Amino acid sequence: MSRIYNFSAGPAMISAAVLQQAEQEFLNWNGSGMNVMEMSHRGKEFMSIATQAEADLRSVMNIPDNYKVLFLQGGATAQFTAIPMNLLRGKTTADYFNTGQWSKKAIAEAKRYCDVNIVASSEADNFATVPDKSTWNLNPDAAYVHYTANETIGGVEFDHIPDTGDVPLVVDLSSTILSRPIDVSRFTLIYAGAQKNIGPAGLTLVIVRDDFIGDTLPGTPVTFDYKVQADNDSMYNTPPTYALYMAGLGFQWLKELGGLPAMGNINQRKAEKLYAAIDNSDFYQNPVEKQYRSWMNIPFTLNNAELDTDFLAGAKAAGLVTLKGHRSVGGMRASIYNAMPEEGVDALIAYMQEFAQQQS
Ligand SMILES: *Cc1c(COP(=O)(O)O)cnc(C)c1O
Protein backbone atom coordinates (compact mmCIF):
# COMPACT_ATOMS: atom_id res chain seq x y z
CA MET A 1 0.00 0.00 0.00
CA SER A 2 1.31 3.45 -0.81
CA ARG A 3 1.70 6.11 1.88
CA ILE A 4 -0.67 9.06 2.00
CA TYR A 5 0.16 12.64 2.91
CA ASN A 6 -1.23 13.20 6.38
CA PHE A 7 -1.58 16.85 7.41
CA SER A 8 -2.62 16.05 10.97
CA ALA A 9 -1.56 18.49 13.69
CA GLY A 10 -0.59 15.60 15.94
CA PRO A 11 -0.04 12.76 16.25
CA ALA A 12 1.48 13.49 12.89
CA MET A 13 3.57 11.92 10.14
CA ILE A 14 6.81 10.15 10.97
CA SER A 15 9.39 9.93 8.23
CA ALA A 16 9.19 6.77 6.13
CA ALA A 17 12.91 6.17 6.65
CA VAL A 18 12.41 6.06 10.42
CA LEU A 19 9.39 3.76 10.13
CA GLN A 20 11.30 1.45 7.83
CA GLN A 21 14.22 1.21 10.18
CA ALA A 22 11.87 0.40 13.05
CA GLU A 23 10.27 -2.25 10.84
CA GLN A 24 13.63 -3.86 10.08
CA GLU A 25 14.42 -3.96 13.79
CA PHE A 26 10.92 -4.89 14.87
CA LEU A 27 11.41 -8.54 15.81
CA ASN A 28 15.08 -8.40 16.62
CA TRP A 29 16.75 -5.17 17.68
CA ASN A 30 20.47 -5.27 16.97
CA GLY A 31 20.84 -9.00 17.55
CA SER A 32 19.06 -8.89 20.91
CA GLY A 33 16.28 -11.21 19.74
CA MET A 34 13.76 -8.72 21.16
CA ASN A 35 11.59 -5.84 20.11
CA VAL A 36 12.60 -2.66 21.96
CA MET A 37 9.15 -2.70 23.64
CA GLU A 38 10.06 -5.96 25.32
CA MET A 39 13.28 -4.74 26.88
CA SER A 40 13.85 -3.83 30.49
CA HIS A 41 14.36 -0.09 30.71
CA ARG A 42 17.30 -0.80 33.01
CA GLY A 43 18.92 -3.40 30.77
CA LYS A 44 22.08 -2.55 28.86
CA GLU A 45 20.37 -2.69 25.45
CA PHE A 46 17.74 -0.10 26.29
CA MET A 47 20.20 2.02 28.26
CA SER A 48 22.33 2.26 25.13
CA ILE A 49 19.28 3.33 23.10
CA ALA A 50 18.37 6.04 25.64
CA THR A 51 21.95 7.29 25.95
CA GLN A 52 22.35 7.47 22.17
CA ALA A 53 19.02 9.29 21.78
CA GLU A 54 20.06 11.92 24.29
CA ALA A 55 23.51 12.34 22.73
CA ASP A 56 21.99 12.72 19.26
CA LEU A 57 19.42 15.25 20.48
CA ARG A 58 22.14 17.23 22.25
CA SER A 59 24.18 17.31 19.09
CA VAL A 60 21.23 18.19 16.82
CA MET A 61 19.99 21.02 19.07
CA ASN A 62 23.44 22.04 20.26
CA ILE A 63 22.32 21.79 23.90
CA PRO A 64 24.91 23.23 26.32
CA ASP A 65 26.32 20.94 29.03
CA ASN A 66 24.66 22.84 31.86
CA TYR A 67 21.23 21.73 30.65
CA LYS A 68 19.53 18.47 31.62
CA VAL A 69 17.49 16.59 29.06
CA LEU A 70 14.50 14.82 30.59
CA PHE A 71 12.38 12.24 28.78
CA LEU A 72 9.03 12.32 30.57
CA GLN A 73 5.37 11.43 30.10
CA GLY A 74 2.06 13.25 30.45
CA GLY A 75 2.40 15.42 27.34
CA ALA A 76 2.98 19.14 27.20
CA THR A 77 -0.18 19.38 29.29
CA ALA A 78 1.52 17.78 32.30
CA GLN A 79 4.23 20.43 31.94
CA PHE A 80 1.59 23.17 32.23
CA THR A 81 1.42 21.92 35.85
CA ALA A 82 5.03 20.85 36.41
CA ILE A 83 6.45 24.22 35.35
CA PRO A 84 4.90 26.32 38.14
CA MET A 85 5.56 23.50 40.62
CA ASN A 86 9.28 23.44 39.76
CA LEU A 87 10.03 27.02 38.79
CA LEU A 88 8.11 29.25 41.22
CA ARG A 89 10.85 28.60 43.81
CA GLY A 90 9.37 30.74 46.55
CA LYS A 91 7.89 33.38 44.23
CA THR A 92 4.16 33.81 43.88
CA THR A 93 3.74 35.28 40.44
CA ALA A 94 4.62 34.30 36.88
CA ASP A 95 4.35 36.05 33.50
CA TYR A 96 2.46 34.47 30.60
CA PHE A 97 1.91 35.56 27.01
CA ASN A 98 -1.58 34.81 25.71
CA THR A 99 -1.30 34.12 21.98
CA GLY A 100 -3.77 31.29 21.45
CA GLN A 101 -5.53 28.17 22.66
CA TRP A 102 -2.41 26.49 24.08
CA SER A 103 -1.34 29.65 25.91
CA LYS A 104 -4.79 29.77 27.48
CA LYS A 105 -4.52 26.21 28.72
CA ALA A 106 -1.06 26.86 30.19
CA ILE A 107 -2.36 30.01 31.89
CA ALA A 108 -5.43 28.29 33.34
CA GLU A 109 -3.25 25.62 34.90
CA ALA A 110 -0.64 28.06 36.25
CA LYS A 111 -3.42 30.05 37.95
CA ARG A 112 -3.97 27.07 40.26
CA TYR A 113 -0.50 27.65 41.73
CA CYS A 114 0.33 31.34 41.41
CA ASP A 115 -0.78 34.77 40.30
CA VAL A 116 -0.52 35.05 36.55
CA ASN A 117 0.40 38.35 34.97
CA ILE A 118 -0.58 38.45 31.29
CA VAL A 119 2.37 40.10 29.55
CA ALA A 120 0.35 40.66 26.40
CA SER A 121 -2.65 39.09 24.69
CA SER A 122 -3.77 38.83 21.07
CA GLU A 123 -7.16 37.44 22.02
CA ALA A 124 -8.96 40.63 20.89
CA ASP A 125 -7.35 40.08 17.45
CA ASN A 126 -8.65 36.52 17.24
CA PHE A 127 -5.14 35.30 17.99
CA ALA A 128 -4.06 36.20 14.45
CA THR A 129 -0.90 37.98 15.55
CA VAL A 130 1.76 38.31 18.24
CA PRO A 131 1.32 41.48 20.32
CA ASP A 132 3.82 44.21 19.53
CA LYS A 133 6.73 44.58 21.95
CA SER A 134 5.67 48.12 22.83
CA THR A 135 2.57 46.69 24.53
CA TRP A 136 4.33 44.08 26.68
CA ASN A 137 3.93 44.35 30.42
CA LEU A 138 6.80 42.27 31.85
CA ASN A 139 7.01 41.95 35.64
CA PRO A 140 10.64 42.02 36.84
CA ASP A 141 9.60 40.06 39.97
CA ALA A 142 7.99 37.20 38.05
CA ALA A 143 9.38 33.72 38.75
CA TYR A 144 9.54 33.15 34.98
CA VAL A 145 8.04 34.22 31.66
CA HIS A 146 6.15 31.58 29.67
CA TYR A 147 5.26 31.74 25.98
CA THR A 148 4.03 29.41 23.27
CA ALA A 149 6.49 29.78 20.40
CA ASN A 150 4.09 28.28 17.88
CA GLU A 151 0.34 28.16 18.41
CA THR A 152 -0.58 24.90 16.72
CA ILE A 153 -4.26 25.75 16.34
CA GLY A 154 -4.05 29.38 15.23
CA GLY A 155 -0.91 28.94 13.12
CA VAL A 156 0.81 31.89 14.80
CA GLU A 157 4.51 31.83 15.55
CA PHE A 158 6.84 34.24 17.35
CA ASP A 159 9.45 35.43 14.84
CA HIS A 160 11.99 36.03 17.62
CA ILE A 161 12.82 34.92 21.15
CA PRO A 162 11.37 37.45 23.62
CA ASP A 163 13.96 39.34 25.62
CA THR A 164 13.01 39.01 29.29
CA GLY A 165 16.18 40.37 30.87
CA ASP A 166 17.04 38.49 34.05
CA VAL A 167 13.68 36.76 34.33
CA PRO A 168 13.92 33.07 33.34
CA LEU A 169 12.33 32.27 30.01
CA VAL A 170 10.18 29.16 29.51
CA VAL A 171 8.88 28.03 26.14
CA ASP A 172 6.28 25.57 24.92
CA LEU A 173 8.02 24.35 21.77
CA SER A 174 5.66 21.43 21.13
CA SER A 175 4.83 22.17 17.51
CA THR A 176 8.01 23.84 16.31
CA ILE A 177 10.89 22.08 18.08
CA LEU A 178 13.50 20.71 15.65
CA SER A 179 12.01 22.67 12.76
CA ARG A 180 15.08 24.96 12.52
CA PRO A 181 18.08 25.98 14.65
CA ILE A 182 17.34 27.57 18.03
CA ASP A 183 19.65 29.05 20.66
CA VAL A 184 18.92 26.85 23.68
CA SER A 185 21.04 29.05 25.95
CA ARG A 186 18.40 31.79 25.76
CA PHE A 187 16.00 29.61 27.77
CA THR A 188 15.73 28.32 31.31
CA LEU A 189 13.34 25.62 30.17
CA ILE A 190 12.11 24.21 26.86
CA TYR A 191 9.38 21.61 26.70
CA ALA A 192 7.55 19.75 23.97
CA GLY A 193 5.19 16.83 23.52
CA ALA A 194 6.68 14.41 21.01
CA GLN A 195 3.74 13.74 18.72
CA LYS A 196 4.11 16.87 16.59
CA ASN A 197 7.71 17.01 15.47
CA ILE A 198 9.69 14.46 17.48
CA GLY A 199 8.08 11.03 17.23
CA PRO A 200 5.20 9.03 18.70
CA ALA A 201 2.83 10.32 21.39
CA GLY A 202 3.63 9.34 24.95
CA LEU A 203 7.03 10.98 25.20
CA THR A 204 7.49 14.50 26.54
CA LEU A 205 10.78 16.32 26.28
CA VAL A 206 12.01 18.81 28.88
CA ILE A 207 15.32 20.64 28.51
CA VAL A 208 16.11 22.56 31.69
CA ARG A 209 19.08 24.55 32.95
CA ASP A 210 20.60 22.62 35.83
CA ASP A 211 20.64 25.50 38.33
CA PHE A 212 16.84 25.64 38.14
CA ILE A 213 16.39 22.04 39.25
CA GLY A 214 15.22 21.41 42.84
CA ASP A 215 13.24 23.44 45.38
CA THR A 216 9.81 22.36 44.16
CA LEU A 217 6.47 23.44 45.55
CA PRO A 218 5.37 21.33 48.55
CA GLY A 219 3.09 18.57 47.34
CA THR A 220 4.73 18.21 43.93
CA PRO A 221 4.09 14.66 42.66
CA VAL A 222 7.31 12.68 42.49
CA THR A 223 7.08 12.09 38.71
CA PHE A 224 6.70 15.86 38.17
CA ASP A 225 9.80 16.71 40.19
CA TYR A 226 12.63 17.61 37.82
CA LYS A 227 15.22 16.87 40.50
CA VAL A 228 13.95 13.34 41.00
CA GLN A 229 13.81 12.81 37.24
CA ALA A 230 17.24 14.33 36.63
CA ASP A 231 18.88 12.39 39.48
CA ASN A 232 17.47 9.19 38.00
CA ASP A 233 18.23 9.90 34.33
CA SER A 234 14.46 10.06 33.61
CA MET A 235 14.14 6.49 34.90
CA TYR A 236 12.69 7.00 38.37
CA ASN A 237 9.80 5.02 36.93
CA THR A 238 9.42 3.26 33.59
CA PRO A 239 9.88 5.73 30.74
CA PRO A 240 7.92 5.42 27.46
CA THR A 241 10.58 3.13 26.04
CA TYR A 242 9.33 2.55 22.52
CA ALA A 243 8.45 6.19 21.95
CA LEU A 244 11.92 7.18 23.09
CA TYR A 245 13.50 4.64 20.73
CA MET A 246 11.45 6.01 17.82
CA ALA A 247 12.38 9.58 18.75
CA GLY A 248 16.02 8.50 18.75
CA LEU A 249 15.69 7.15 15.21
CA GLY A 250 14.21 10.51 14.28
CA PHE A 251 17.19 12.39 15.76
CA GLN A 252 19.54 10.22 13.67
CA TRP A 253 17.45 10.89 10.58
CA LEU A 254 17.76 14.63 11.23
CA LYS A 255 21.53 14.36 11.68
CA GLU A 256 21.93 12.50 8.39
CA LEU A 257 19.81 15.09 6.64
CA GLY A 258 22.23 17.83 7.68
CA GLY A 259 20.77 18.79 11.06
CA LEU A 260 18.56 21.72 11.87
CA PRO A 261 20.08 24.21 9.38
CA ALA A 262 19.21 21.85 6.50
CA MET A 263 15.82 21.00 8.00
CA GLY A 264 15.10 24.70 8.51
CA ASN A 265 15.77 25.46 4.84
CA ILE A 266 13.41 22.72 3.72
CA ASN A 267 10.71 23.81 6.17
CA GLN A 268 10.97 27.44 5.15
CA ARG A 269 10.64 26.51 1.48
CA LYS A 270 7.64 24.26 2.18
CA ALA A 271 5.85 26.97 4.15
CA GLU A 272 6.66 29.77 1.72
CA LYS A 273 5.28 27.93 -1.26
CA LEU A 274 2.06 27.02 0.53
CA TYR A 275 1.54 30.61 1.72
CA ALA A 276 2.30 31.86 -1.79
CA ALA A 277 -0.34 29.52 -3.20
CA ILE A 278 -2.86 30.88 -0.69
CA ASP A 279 -1.93 34.55 -1.18
CA ASN A 280 -1.83 34.29 -4.98
CA SER A 281 -5.36 32.95 -5.17
CA ASP A 282 -8.56 34.81 -4.48
CA PHE A 283 -10.15 31.55 -3.41
CA TYR A 284 -8.10 30.82 -0.26
CA GLN A 285 -7.21 33.00 2.72
CA ASN A 286 -4.91 32.72 5.72
CA PRO A 287 -5.91 35.02 8.60
CA VAL A 288 -2.52 35.40 10.29
CA GLU A 289 -0.44 38.56 10.12
CA LYS A 290 2.38 37.76 7.69
CA GLN A 291 5.26 38.37 10.06
CA TYR A 292 3.92 35.78 12.51
CA ARG A 293 2.85 33.01 10.18
CA SER A 294 3.76 29.54 11.34
CA TRP A 295 6.05 27.34 9.29
CA MET A 296 4.43 24.25 10.74
CA ASN A 297 0.66 24.77 10.97
CA ILE A 298 -1.04 26.63 8.16
CA PRO A 299 -4.75 27.32 8.56
CA PHE A 300 -6.70 28.49 5.53
CA THR A 301 -10.30 29.08 4.60
CA LEU A 302 -12.14 28.73 1.32
CA ASN A 303 -14.09 31.65 -0.14
CA ASN A 304 -17.26 29.70 0.39
CA ALA A 305 -17.45 27.55 3.52
CA GLU A 306 -20.21 25.48 1.92
CA LEU A 307 -17.52 23.95 -0.28
CA ASP A 308 -15.47 22.69 2.71
CA THR A 309 -16.97 19.19 2.58
CA ASP A 310 -16.31 18.85 -1.15
CA PHE A 311 -12.77 20.15 -0.71
CA LEU A 312 -12.03 17.59 1.99
CA ALA A 313 -13.58 14.71 0.04
CA GLY A 314 -11.58 15.55 -3.08
CA ALA A 315 -8.41 15.92 -1.03
CA LYS A 316 -8.93 12.53 0.54
CA ALA A 317 -9.41 10.97 -2.88
CA ALA A 318 -6.10 12.55 -3.90
CA GLY A 319 -4.32 11.01 -0.87
CA LEU A 320 -4.26 14.24 1.17
CA VAL A 321 -5.84 13.66 4.58
CA THR A 322 -6.60 15.33 7.93
CA LEU A 323 -6.92 18.82 6.46
CA LYS A 324 -10.04 19.82 8.38
CA GLY A 325 -9.35 22.87 10.53
CA HIS A 326 -9.60 22.89 14.30
CA ARG A 327 -13.20 23.23 15.48
CA SER A 328 -12.41 26.60 17.09
CA VAL A 329 -11.09 28.10 13.83
CA GLY A 330 -12.97 26.26 11.06
CA GLY A 331 -11.82 25.93 7.46
CA MET A 332 -8.69 23.91 6.82
CA ARG A 333 -5.34 23.44 8.48
CA ALA A 334 -2.29 21.89 6.88
CA SER A 335 0.32 20.80 9.41
CA ILE A 336 3.61 20.37 7.60
CA TYR A 337 6.11 19.20 10.19
CA ASN A 338 9.60 17.87 9.43
CA ALA A 339 8.33 14.47 8.26
CA MET A 340 5.95 15.95 5.66
CA PRO A 341 7.90 15.58 2.40
CA GLU A 342 8.10 18.60 0.13
CA GLU A 343 6.25 16.49 -2.48
CA GLY A 344 3.32 16.36 -0.06
CA VAL A 345 3.15 20.15 0.01
CA ASP A 346 3.46 20.25 -3.80
CA ALA A 347 0.61 17.75 -4.09
CA LEU A 348 -1.57 19.84 -1.76
CA ILE A 349 -0.87 23.02 -3.72
CA ALA A 350 -1.69 21.28 -7.02
CA TYR A 351 -4.94 19.98 -5.56
CA MET A 352 -5.87 23.40 -4.13
CA GLN A 353 -5.32 25.06 -7.50
CA GLU A 354 -7.32 22.43 -9.34
CA PHE A 355 -10.20 22.69 -6.84
CA ALA A 356 -10.30 26.50 -7.06
CA GLN A 357 -10.34 26.34 -10.87
CA GLN A 358 -13.27 23.92 -10.83
CA GLN A 359 -15.30 26.45 -8.85
CA SER A 360 -14.78 29.40 -11.19
C1 LIG B 1 -0.29 19.66 21.21
C2 LIG B 1 0.16 20.79 22.04
C3 LIG B 1 0.05 20.78 23.43
C4 LIG B 1 -0.57 19.64 24.20
O1 LIG B 1 0.17 18.48 24.07
P1 LIG B 1 -0.26 17.13 24.80
O2 LIG B 1 0.88 16.24 24.48
O3 LIG B 1 -1.55 16.68 24.19
O4 LIG B 1 -0.41 17.41 26.24
C5 LIG B 1 0.54 21.86 24.13
N1 LIG B 1 1.09 22.92 23.50
C6 LIG B 1 1.19 22.96 22.15
C7 LIG B 1 1.81 24.16 21.51
C8 LIG B 1 0.73 21.91 21.39
O5 LIG B 1 0.84 21.95 20.05
Side-chain angles (χ1 to χ4, degrees):
M1 190 208 136
S2 68
R3 300 261 299 159
I4 51 171
Y5 295 119
N6 175 9
F7 295 88
S8 169
M13 283 184 82
I14 291 178
S15 96
V18 165
L19 293 173
Q20 273 161 350
Q21 187 170 346
E23 182 183 40
Q24 275 168 23
E25 298 174 343
F26 201 71
L27 291 178
N28 181 0
W29 181 82
N30 200 24
S32 66
M34 286 184 275
N35 182 294
V36 174
M37 280 180 256
E38 303 171 298
M39 293 175 180
S40 163
H41 59 295
R42 304 197 192 280
K44 76 172 183 347
E45 287 101 344
F46 186 74
M47 293 293 270
S48 76
I49 290 170
T51 306
Q52 190 65 46
E54 180 177 338
D56 287 336
L57 177 67
R58 283 185 176 277
S59 121
V60 166
M61 287 187 77
N62 211 352
I63 300 173
D65 289 344
N66 62 327
Y67 284 74
K68 288 276 186 202
V69 172
L70 306 177
F71 295 115
L72 306 178
Q73 303 188 57
T77 304
Q79 294 309 311
F80 294 166
T81 317
I83 286 160
M85 289 190 141
N86 283 271
L87 295 186
L88 281 170
R89 306 180 114 211
K91 296 208 171 188
T92 56
T93 176
D95 275 3
Y96 279 73
F97 283 91
N98 182 21
T99 55
Q101 303 300 333
W102 290 116
S103 295
K104 283 179 78 159
K105 289 205 164 150
I107 290 165
E109 190 60 15
K111 279 184 173 168
R112 289 153 49 92
Y113 304 98
C114 63
D115 294 327
V116 169
N117 169 50
I118 303 297
V119 177
S121 172
S122 54
E123 191 156 14
D125 299 311
N126 274 324
F127 293 128
T129 187
V130 169
D132 189 75
K133 260 183 217 172
S134 62
T135 68
W136 296 1
N137 171 32
L138 289 161
N139 173 8
D141 294 324
Y144 57 88
V145 181
H146 176 282
Y147 79 110
T148 310
N150 183 70
E151 286 282 358
T152 319
I153 294 170
V156 175
E157 183 154 20
F158 277 72
D159 66 339
H160 63 283
I161 299 173
D163 181 0
T164 59
D166 292 336
V167 182
L169 183 59
V170 174
V171 66
D172 179 352
L173 219 54
S174 292
S175 49
T176 188
I177 191 163
L178 302 177
S179 67
R180 77 204 79 173
I182 185 164
D183 181 358
V184 173
S185 73
R186 295 280 306 274
F187 300 92
T188 289
L189 187 143
I190 293 171
Y191 68 103
Q195 70 273 24
K196 281 40 182 276
N197 216 11
I198 298 177
L203 173 72
T204 312
L205 177 67
V206 171
I207 302 167
V208 55
R209 223 175 81 183
D210 56 13
D211 53 335
F212 282 85
I213 294 175
D215 196 10
T216 53
L217 213 63
T220 299
V222 70
T223 53
F224 279 34
D225 188 325
Y226 298 149
K227 180 154 172 50
V228 173
Q229 293 290 2
D231 286 349
N232 290 279
D233 293 326
S234 310
M235 295 208 193
Y236 178 77
N237 68 320
T238 317
T241 52
Y242 201 75
L244 177 49
Y245 155 73
M246 290 293 292
L249 295 183
F251 302 150
Q252 281 168 17
W253 173 73
L254 270 174
K255 273 176 86 170
E256 282 157 27
L257 197 119
L260 298 187
M263 193 73 248
N265 289 337
I266 297 168
N267 284 330
Q268 184 171 21
R269 205 164 59 225
K270 278 156 49 183
E272 276 174 0
K273 62 166 91 163
L274 184 46
Y275 284 117
I278 293 168
D279 291 343
N280 295 337
S281 87
D282 41 25
F283 189 77
Y284 302 104
Q285 296 85 33
N286 167 276
V288 179
E289 195 182 340
K290 283 190 178 157
Q291 189 180 350
Y292 304 113
R293 284 172 160 184
S294 169
W295 288 9
M296 296 281 106
N297 312 97
I298 303 184
F300 60 92
T301 52
L302 278 51
N303 252 351
N304 175 358
E306 282 173 12
L307 295 171
D308 284 3
T309 314
D310 287 351
F311 179 91
L312 289 165
K316 191 170 180 200
L320 311 165
V321 303
T322 336
L323 282 161
K324 195 173 179 349
H326 190 270
R327 58 190 182 279
S328 67
V329 178
M332 308 297 152
R333 173 176 48 169
S335 294
I336 53 172
Y337 301 115
N338 289 355
M340 171 60 69
E342 191 160 355
E343 299 79 58
V345 176
D346 292 339
L348 173 61
I349 292 170
Y351 170 71
M352 287 168 70
Q353 288 170 344
E354 185 191 305
F355 186 85
Q357 257 158 26
Q358 281 167 12
Q359 311 310 321
S360 60

